[in-house]
Amino acid sequence: MSGANRIPGAGRLTPAKTARFFFDGKSYAALEGDTVASALLANGVHLVGRSFKYHRPRGIVSAGAEEPNALIGVERDAARKQPNVRATVQDVFDGMKVISQNRWPSLAFDVGAVNNLLAPFFAAGFYYKTFMWPKQAWKHVYEPQIRAAAGLGVSPTEDDTDHYSSRYAHCDVLVIGAGVAGLSAALAAAKTGARVIICDEQPEVGGALHYDKSVTVDGQDGFTWAQGTAAKLAKMDNVTVLPRTTAFGYYAQNFVGLNERVTEHLAKPDRKLPRERLWQVRAKRVIIATGAIERHMVFANNDRPGIMLASAARTFLNHFGVAVGKKIGVYTANDSAYEAAFDLKRAGITVAAIVDSREKPGEGVLAEARSLGIEVLTGHGVVNTSGKLRVSSMSVARNGGGAVRKIAIDALLVSAGWTPSVHMFSQSRGKVAYDNETQRFLPGTYAQDCLSVGACNGTNDLQATIEESLAAGELMSNASGFTASEKLALQGSNAFAWTGGMAGAAEGAGADTTVKAFIDFQNDVCAKDIRLAVREGMHSIEHIKRFTTNGMATDQGKLSNIHGLAIAAETLGREIPKVGLTTFRAPYTPVTFGTLINHSRGELFDPTRKTPMHALEEAQGAVFEDVGQWKRAWYYPRAGEDMHQAVNRECKTVRDVAGIFDASTLGKIEVVGPDAAQFLNLIYTNSWDTLKPGRCRYGIMLREDGFVYDDGVVGRMAEDRFHVTTTTGGAARVMNHMEDYLQTEFPHLNVWLTSATEQWAVIAVQGPKAREIIAPLVEGIDLSNEAFPHMSVREGKICGVPTRLFRMSFTGETGFEVNVPADFGPAVWAAIWAQAEPMGACAYGTEAMHILRAEKGYIIVGQDTDGTVTPDDASLGWAVGKKKTDFVGIRGLRRPDLVADGRKQLVGLLTKDPKVVLEEGAQIVADPNQALPMTMIGHVTSAYWSENCGRSIALALVAGGKAKIGQTLYVPMPDRTIAVEVSDMVFFDKEGGRING
Amino acid sequence: MLLIYCPYCEEERSELEFRQAGDAHIARPTNMTEMTDEDFEAFFFLRDNVKGLTFERWRHLNGCGRFFNAARDTVSDKFLTTYKAGLPRPDLSTLRPATEAIVETYEATESDAK
Ligand SMILES: [Zn+2]
C-alpha cells in the first residue's frame, strides 16, 4: 500500500510500481511518478515545513512550480544536497532522503515558533527599522543571528560532484508550455515543416489536463490526447519535445534560456549523464503557452497545513490518486473550485460545504453541486480556521457579519481565481495591460516576435484556446517562412465554463491589525502588512514590495502579487492599473548555480596559459604565480630556502654572474608595411624615422587623454618591419588599440598588424656572463659590444634554429633576449641552461625580475602608473618626440591639468632605517603630527628588499616629488610611522656602465 | 544575448564574438595640436548617452577583427542596422532590419543532428 489516502482506481500511476523514500528519517511508501508532495499526502502528511519569519507550521499549497511553502532538502550524498526544492515538482525515487527545513529541533516542535507570539514586534519593515543601529551591530550581531534563526535550506559544504551540460539551439518556433494550447500550437507549426522546440516544466505534457478530467480533445480523454500528441511530435524530424524543461528567462532578440532536469528524478543516475542541461535557444518566433496559476483566498489563519489550492487537490486526486482529506471544505470566489469538490465527492470523500464569497456563482456548477447533495453557502466567508499542525475546522459567517458557524474539516480547498502567467511575456519586455472586465493583467504591447495563447493570454474557453493556438502555430511558422498544405482542426469539450474571481483580502481578513491573513506564504506577508506599508508612506508598488518583502521570496509572488496589489490599491483608494504591477524578472523558477555556471568551474573556469618552457621550469623547481591567465615562474627555491632567501640569491646571482628568465609572456606584435614607421609615429610618443634597421628603442604609448597606456621595446627588423613588444597584461588591449586606429583613424596607411605573442619563446639571459653563456650557441651574429651594442637586434641562428636576438636589458646588466619560434623554446632553454649552470648562473623568476628592474628605476606600467600618469610624471619625458606634430595623446598632454605644477611624480624612497621595507599602496604624508584626517601627498607603488643594495628600496608617486628629492617624508602605518627620504629612482649602478659591458 | 550582423563577414554571429567600442561618427581631428581645450573636451570627453537611437562602434573581435558601425536602440537593445566603418550614417527612414543570413549552426551544417 502506497499510502492510506490513495483512492483505488483514481489517478494515473501504476499501483504495482512502488518506491520507498525517507522524510526526516521516517520511511514512507510511494508510487513511481509521485512527487514528494503527492507521496506525503498519500501518507497523510500535510505538515512539511515552518514559515520563514513566524515559524508557523506549513503544508502543501499547490501541486506545481508556484509552490511557496513546501520547500524541502533532497540529499543523495554529502556533496549532493539540494536545499529549497519544491516538494510539488520533485519526483520521488527509490531510496530518496528528504528533510524538512527551517525548524529546530523538530518539525512538530519548533523553538522558533516563539516568533509567532512575538509577531506584534515583527511588523513589516521591522528589520529595516530595528537593526540599523548601531551600524557595527548589524554586521556582527544582528545579521548572523537572524540568518541562523531564519534561513531556509542549508547548502552542502562539499564540492558538487555532478556535472552539467550546455547547448545552443536555433529553431523557427519555440513553444513554451505543453498544455492544450502549447501542443495545439506546436502541432500546427510542426505541420509546416518549421523547426519546432516545445518545452514543458512537468515530467509529462498536458498542463491543466493533469487535473481537469472533464476535458476531451478529438474525442479522446484530454490527458491521453496530450501524451499521444507529444509522442507524435517527438517522432517528427523537425520537432524537439523537451519535458522536465523550464523556460526560465526570456532575453533580447528571442533568446530563451531553458533548464532541462535530466537525472533529478532518477534513483541511480548514470554518472555520465549531466544532472541538468542548459539550453540557450534562439527562436525566430516564440509562442508563449504558459497557462494560468490559481490564487488562494486571503482570510484569517489561511496558512494551516491542509489548506490548499482547489486545483492542487484536484491534481492530487485525478493524477496521483490521492485524496487530500476525508472531510473537506471549499472556500472560493470562482467556479473552478466547485469541480474539485465534485471530483472528490464522486471519489467518496465528504464535502462539508462550499463557501462562496459571491452571491451568484455560475449556474452550471451551482446546479451540479445541488444535485450531488453538496451544501453551498453563497455570500459567505471563512472568517477563521483552527488546528495546530493541520486544519481541523473552518468558521463560516455571512458576508458583513452575523452568526459564526464552525464546521469540522481536515482539508480546505481555496480558489480566488486564476492569474494568467504573463511572466515570459513580461520578461520579453512586452507591456501588460489591465483588463477591467476580468480584472486581470494580460499581454498588451509586444516587444518581440512572440505570441501568447490560451490561459496566459486570458482565453478561458477550451475551443477558443485550441483555435487560437492552432492559428498562432501556423502564423508564426508562416512568419519564419513555412506554410502548411492544409489547415488543422481540433475539437475540444469540457464540463463547465468558469466565472468569477477576486483579488485582495476576502471576508474575514479584516481591517484588524492583529489578524494574520497571509498573502505571501513564503515571506510571511499578511494583508495588514500591505496596509501598514501604505500608512507609512509607501505609495509605489515597488516600494510596498520592498518594505513588506511581498513577492520577494523564491516563488517571486506567483500567488501573492495580485493580492498585494489589490490590497494596496484599495488602501490607497486608487484603481489597480494606477498602482501598477511589479516587474517580472528571470528566472521564472529557481535555477541551480550548477546549470548556469555549467562547465565554467575548476580548471575550465578560465583558460590557463603556459609558456613553452613551463615544464622545464617546473622541473627546475619553479613556484608559479598567476599573471592574468598566464602561469609565470615566480622564483626557484633550492633546498632549505624560503621565498625571501631564494629571491635574494637570484638577484645577487644575476648581478654577480648571470641569470636566465622566461620572458615569453611579453606581448609581441609584428608591424609590417611601407607605412609601418609612420604608423608607429602616430601610436607612440617617440620618433621612429631615425631608428635604423637592426636597432631598438624603448617606446611609450599614450591614450588620447595623454596618460601612459603601455610601454615596451620596439626593434626595427627592416625598413618596413618592426618587432613590437608590449607589457604582459597589455598585449590584447594594445593590439586592439592599434587595430582601432589603423582601421578607423589612419586607414590610409598601408600597414599590417599581426599578434605574435604565442609564436615566439623568449629567453632573457642577463648578467656579466650573459655573452659568454650564449656565445657558443649562436651562429651568424657577431656578439661583440662594438658590433652588437645595447639596444640592437640581429637575426641569425641559435642551437641551429632561427632567432631574433635582442641586445636589451630589464635588469641594467649586459643582457640578451633570445626569441625563437615557440616550439624550439624548451630545447634552446635547455641548451642555454647547460651553458649557464656550470658558470654559477641561475634561473630567476618574476619576483627577482621586479626587484632588479626597481633597483634600476625601470617602471612597470600598471604598477608604478595607474592611468593618471604622464610620461613626464614618470621621468620619461625624454621619450616624447618634441618635434612631432601628431601622435595619439599629443593634445591630451597639453591639457592645463597635465602641465600644472604639483602633479604626482614618480620618485625613489629610501627608508631612514634601511632594514624597513615599505608596504606597496601605503600613503605618504609631509607632517606625521598633523590632525586627522591627514593630507596625503602620494603613495608607494613598488617596495622591495634589495640584496644588491643591502637595503630596502621603493618607488612612489609623490605630489611635486622631483622637487622634494632629499627631503624627509613619512609613511604612517597602523603600528608606527616610517620616515623616508625622497631620492631619484636609480638605486644601483647609477652611472649605468654595466649595461654596456 | 544578441545576434549581430557583421557587415564584413555578411553573417549574423553571436554577441560573444563582438565588443562594443563606444560612440560612432566621432572622427579624430587632424589639427590636434591647434584645438582649444573646449574643442578637445567635446571631442574626447563628452558623450550624449542617449535613450533610444544611438550610433556606436562594434568590433568583430573574435571573428574577422573589423571595426564597424551600428544603429541601435538602447531601450530595446535592438540593432536597426550595421554598416562598414567610414560609411555615413544611414537614412533610418528607409531602413530595413539587418539582413537575416543563414547562421552556421551545428544543425545547419550537420543537418538533422540531435
Ligand atoms: Zn566579421
Side-chain angles (χ1 to χ4, degrees):
Chain A
M1 191 66 188
S2 56
N5 298 300
R6 202 77 71 168
I7 306 287
R12 305 186 180 102
L13 308 186
T14 310
K17 292 188 176 171
T18 58
R20 290 206 78 81
F21 72 107
F22 299 88
F23 179 60
D24 282 346
K26 194 175 166 196
S27 172
Y28 292 97
L31 293 181
E32 256 178 45
D34 260 329
T35 62
V36 171
S38 67
L40 287 171
L41 291 171
N43 288 284
V45 178
H46 277 260
L47 171 66
V48 291
R50 290 271 175 173
S51 74
F52 183 65
K53 190 162 139 189
Y54 302 128
H55 286 243
R56 284 167 69 102
R58 287 286 165 80
I60 294 152
V61 172
S62 76
E66 69 272 31
E67 178 61 33
N69 264 355
L71 301 183
I72 52 169
V74 176
E75 301 185 358
R76 285 185 189 266
D77 53 43
R80 294 180 297 166
K81 294 180 183 175
Q82 178 74 14
N84 300 341
V85 175
R86 286 151 295 150
T88 49
V89 300
Q90 171 66 53
D91 297 59
V92 166
F93 53 80
D94 200 44
M96 178 184 208
K97 288 197 186 76
V98 178
I99 49 161
S100 60
Q101 301 182 158
N102 202 30
R103 83 290 186 270
W104 184 86
S106 76
L107 195 50
F109 178 77
D110 173 47
V111 167
V114 70
N115 285 2
N116 193 30
L117 303 175
L118 298 175
F121 302 103
F122 282 89
F126 168 73
Y127 291 99
Y128 299 122
K129 290 178 200 164
T130 312
F131 293 127
M132 291 317 289
W133 188 91
K135 219 172 172 184
Q136 281 302 306
W138 172 256
K139 195 172 158 200
H140 298 293
V141 183
Y142 299 139
E143 192 182 359
Q145 290 286 326
I146 291 167
R147 283 195 187 282
L152 291 167
V154 180
S155 300
T157 50
E158 291 180 29
D159 279 354
D160 190 351
T161 55
D162 278 316
H163 69 103
Y164 301 79
S165 79
S166 163
R167 61 166 297 176
Y168 290 89
H170 291 256
C171 66
D172 299 304
V173 181
L174 168 68
V175 182
I176 304 173
V180 173
L183 287 168
S184 303
L187 266 183
K191 215 168 158 28
T192 67
R195 292 171 304 165
V196 176
I197 295 176
I198 177 168
C199 67
D200 193 281
E201 62 189 0
Q202 300 206 60
E204 295 134 326
V205 299
L209 302 172
H210 278 84
Y211 64 80
D212 198 342
K213 235 173 48 172
S214 76
V215 171
T216 65
V217 182
D218 248 5
Q220 293 178 67
D221 158 64
F223 191 80
T224 310
W225 169 82
Q227 307 317 308
T229 302
K232 193 161 90 186
L233 286 169
K235 282 206 191 85
M236 297 174 75
D237 287 339
N238 57 326
V239 182
T240 306
V241 180
L242 297 172
R244 301 183 191 281
T245 304
T246 304
F248 63 83
Y250 197 133
Y251 306 95
Q253 217 182 348
N254 275 354
F255 188 66
V256 182
L258 313 182
N259 173 213
E260 181 186 6
R261 293 166 295 277
V262 182
T263 64
E264 212 54 359
H265 59 294
L266 302 174
K268 291 193 172 60
D270 181 347
R271 294 310 292 264
K272 288 195 200 97
L273 286 175
R275 179 180 170 217
E276 299 185 358
R277 184 177 287 128
L278 174 68
W279 289 75
Q280 298 178 75
V281 179
R282 177 82 59 184
K284 288 213 177 95
R285 298 292 185 282
V286 175
I287 295 175
I288 304 170
T290 47
I293 292 172
E294 199 172 27
R295 291 185 303 277
H296 61 292
M297 294 290 280
V298 178
F299 57 98
N301 295 312
N302 60 342
D303 65 327
R304 297 187 195 279
I307 303 179
M308 66 172 65
L309 297 173
S311 63
R314 224 179 155 198
T315 303
F316 290 125
L317 178 69
N318 293 338
H319 189 75
F320 298 103
V322 173
V324 299
K326 292 189 170 58
K327 189 178 183 200
I328 63 152
V330 176
Y331 183 23
T332 186
N334 190 58
D335 291 351
S336 60
Y338 283 69
E339 291 206 53
F342 303 161
D343 289 350
L344 282 157
K345 175 85 180 173
R346 290 195 189 100
I349 304 301
T350 305
V351 179
I354 296 175
V355 182
D356 197 321
S357 67
R358 302 168 296 172
E359 295 293 346
K360 277 195 172 34
E363 284 171 15
V365 290
L366 193 57
E368 180 75 6
R370 300 237 155 95
S371 81
L372 282 167
I374 300 171
E375 181 182 9
V376 179
L377 298 162
T378 58
H380 278 66
V382 174
V383 295
N384 206 350
T385 63
S386 69
K388 190 166 168 261
L389 299 179
R390 179 167 173 185
V391 68
S392 59
S393 77
M394 59 176 179
S395 300
V396 180
R398 181 147 255 305
N399 288 349
V404 174
R405 179 177 148 201
K406 199 169 176 178
I407 304 174
I409 50 170
D410 62 359
L412 178 55
L413 317 187
V414 294
S415 176
W418 295 82
T419 309
S421 288
V422 293
H423 302 72
M424 284 291 122
F425 169 78
S426 178
Q427 281 188 29
S428 80
R429 300 191 187 182
K431 288 216 179 326
V432 294
Y434 191 70
D435 183 51
N436 249 324
E437 196 186 329
T438 57
Q439 296 188 309
R440 298 180 296 187
F441 284 99
L442 296 175
T445 313
Y446 282 84
Q448 297 203 39
D449 291 328
C450 58
L451 260 186
S452 300
V453 293
C456 72
N457 194 37
T459 308
N460 294 345
D461 181 68
L462 178 66
Q463 189 59 32
T465 290
I466 290 172
E467 281 164 18
E468 172 178 272
S469 304
L470 290 172
E474 202 183 330
L475 178 72
M476 291 316 233
S477 303
N478 295 349
S480 306
F482 296 86
T483 44
S485 47
E486 52 182 318
K487 280 214 180 307
L488 261 180
L490 284 171
Q491 211 53 49
S493 79
N494 59 342
F496 300 97
W498 296 339
T499 65
M502 70 166 297
E507 277 292 310
D512 187 340
T513 52
T514 63
V515 166
K516 286 207 190 70
F518 289 89
I519 55 174
D520 184 327
F521 294 118
Q522 205 176 116
N523 267 354
D524 271 352
V525 181
C526 299
K528 65 186 173 63
D529 297 325
I530 303 287
R531 297 191 190 109
L532 175 69
V534 172
R535 279 203 308 277
E536 298 219 353
M538 314 293 142
H539 289 188
S540 149
I541 195 65
E542 296 286 358
H543 290 158
I544 293 168
K545 167 178 169 170
R546 280 153 188 83
F547 189 79
T548 60
T549 73
N550 185 40
M552 286 171 72
T554 62
D555 66 333
Q556 293 192 56
K558 291 187 178 65
L559 269 58
S560 70
N561 280 344
I562 296 297
H563 283 319
L565 177 58
I567 295 166
E570 192 190 353
T571 315
L572 284 163
R574 272 192 249 160
E575 287 168 28
I576 284 178
K578 294 267 185 326
V579 182
L581 195 59
T582 55
T583 313
F584 293 91
R585 309 268 184 213
Y588 171 68
T589 49
V591 178
T592 61
F593 283 116
T595 299
L596 298 175
I597 295 164
N598 226 281
H599 300 298
S600 305
R601 60 177 185 157
E603 284 189 340
L604 298 179
F605 178 70
D606 200 29
T608 301
R609 301 173 79 184
K610 292 177 179 170
T611 71
M613 286 82 81
H614 186 90
L616 291 181
E617 292 158 19
E618 214 166 19
Q620 278 173 255
V623 174
F624 292 86
E625 70 166 336
D626 290 336
V627 180
Q629 292 173 334
W630 287 105
K631 296 280 177 200
R632 298 197 72 180
W634 194 10
Y635 59 99
Y636 293 81
R638 292 182 180 166
E641 279 182 344
D642 63 14
M643 178 177 177
H644 188 66
Q645 291 163 330
V647 169
N648 285 346
R649 173 182 49 74
E650 288 171 21
C651 288
K652 199 97 177 65
T653 308
V654 170
R655 297 219 187 276
D656 291 349
V657 188
I660 71 172
F661 172 75
D662 182 353
S664 305
T665 64
L666 279 186
K668 293 169 277 291
I669 301 169
E670 192 88 345
V671 179
V672 187
D675 300 324
Q678 206 185 331
F679 176 68
L680 293 182
N681 280 340
L682 287 162
I683 291 294
Y684 284 92
T685 60
N686 317 63
S687 189
W688 300 93
D689 297 327
T690 53
L691 187 70
K692 294 197 163 47
R695 296 307 306 261
C696 306
R697 186 165 286 167
Y698 170 75
I700 302 270
M701 186 182 296
L702 307 181
R703 295 187 310 192
E704 210 70 85
D705 58 10
F707 295 128
V708 174
Y709 187 61
D710 204 75
D711 68 349
V713 170
V714 178
R716 190 166 199 169
M717 307 310 299
E719 278 299 326
D720 63 350
R721 181 178 292 269
F722 291 83
H723 180 118
V724 169
T725 67
T726 75
T727 56
T728 294
R733 64 180 156 80
V734 168
M735 183 74 191
N736 189 67
H737 176 84
M738 286 189 177
E739 277 287 350
D740 193 349
Y741 277 98
L742 182 59
Q743 288 184 33
T744 67
E745 299 296 352
F746 314 131
H748 55 283
L749 297 181
N750 191 354
V751 177
W752 285 91
L753 304 173
T754 308
S755 167
T757 302
E758 305 216 342
Q759 274 57 50
W760 296 106
V762 185
I763 304 160
V765 185
Q766 302 279 313
K769 300 242 181 203
R771 186 179 291 108
E772 211 178 313
I773 289 169
I774 62 163
L777 307 174
V778 175
E779 297 166 54
I781 302 171
D782 181 349
L783 296 177
S784 70
N785 206 27
E786 299 69 39
F788 191 27
H790 178 55
M791 295 303 263
S792 305
V793 58
R794 299 284 181 272
E795 288 183 281
K797 284 192 165 178
I798 187 164
C799 306
V801 304
T803 180
R804 282 184 183 174
L805 184 61
F806 284 76
R807 171 85 197 270
M808 57 187 273
S809 173
F810 200 42
T811 59
E813 299 297 323
T814 300
F816 299 90
E817 289 196 0
V818 180
N819 285 247
V820 291
D823 288 350
F824 297 124
V828 174
W829 173 278
I832 292 175
W833 179 240
Q835 290 291 317
E837 196 183 14
M839 292 185 204
C842 70
Y844 67 101
T846 49
E847 188 65 20
M849 177 271 282
H850 277 111
I851 297 171
L852 293 165
R853 66 88 202 177
E855 288 172 350
K856 293 298 298 177
Y858 300 150
I859 67 160
I860 290 182
V861 171
Q863 175 169 343
D864 301 300
T865 70
D866 60 3
T868 67
V869 175
T870 67
D872 201 46
D873 297 340
S875 294
L876 297 170
W878 57 267
V880 180
K882 302 293 179 293
K883 290 185 198 139
K884 290 175 76 172
T885 54
D886 198 6
F887 58 81
V888 174
I890 193 168
R891 181 61 186 81
L893 275 182
R894 298 179 191 187
R895 290 189 287 144
D897 282 356
L898 272 66
V899 295
D901 286 336
R903 288 188 58 78
K904 286 188 182 169
Q905 295 168 323
L906 264 181
V907 290
L909 294 183
L910 292 168
T911 50
K912 297 275 178 170
D913 176 351
K915 295 259 179 297
V916 173
V917 181
L918 294 168
E919 264 185 45
E920 288 174 0
Q923 296 292 322
I924 299 163
V925 301
D927 172 11
N929 300 314
Q930 62 185 299
L932 296 173
M934 294 191 191
T935 303
M936 294 172 287
I937 59 170
H939 69 274
V940 179
T941 61
S942 293
Y944 310 97
W945 172 260
S946 165
E947 190 73 1
N948 288 309
C949 299
R951 61 157 301 128
S952 76
I953 58 171
L955 299 176
L957 277 168
V958 176
K962 285 183 222 171
K964 291 193 169 73
I965 289 177
Q967 292 181 20
T968 300
L969 298 176
Y970 299 89
V971 178
M973 298 301 289
D975 56 339
R976 59 184 164 160
T977 295
I978 302 165
V980 298
E981 185 183 316
V982 182
S983 72
D984 64 45
M985 290 162 64
V986 185
F987 304 98
F988 185 83
D989 183 30
K990 282 188 194 279
E991 305 73 33
R994 301 172 70 99
I995 208 162
N996 297 313
Chain B
M1 202 167 58
L2 302 163
L3 285 182
I4 299 173
Y5 183 82
C6 173
Y8 293 98
C9 295
E10 299 184 337
E11 209 178 63
E12 278 190 318
R13 306 291 303 174
S14 164
E15 186 185 337
L16 292 172
E17 297 179 6
F18 298 83
R19 290 288 180 284
Q20 207 262 12
D23 285 17
H25 301 293
I26 298 170
R28 185 176 184 272
T30 49
N31 62 336
M32 277 298 225
T33 50
E34 292 145 36
M35 289 172 87
T36 62
D37 284 338
E38 289 70 28
D39 288 347
F40 180 74
E41 179 192 32
F43 154 69
F44 187 72
F45 291 105
L46 301 183
R47 296 292 180 271
D48 291 336
N49 194 23
V50 289
K51 180 178 182 180
L53 177 65
T54 186
F55 294 88
E56 54 193 16
R57 305 189 318 133
W58 284 75
R59 186 181 183 201
H60 194 185
L61 180 64
N62 300 307
C64 62
R66 302 296 296 268
F67 284 83
F68 59 88
N69 293 331
R72 194 172 64 90
D73 185 330
T74 57
V75 178
S76 68
D77 275 349
K78 266 186 193 151
F79 278 80
L80 292 122
T81 190
T82 57
Y83 50 103
K84 292 179 179 175
L87 295 180
R89 277 192 185 83
D91 178 4
L92 292 176
S93 60
T94 64
L95 201 66
R96 288 171 297 115
T99 319
E100 280 185 14
I102 290 172
V103 184
E104 256 185 60
T105 60
Y106 186 66
E107 285 86 348
T109 52
E110 306 289 317
S111 74
D112 60 346
K114 288 216 168 163

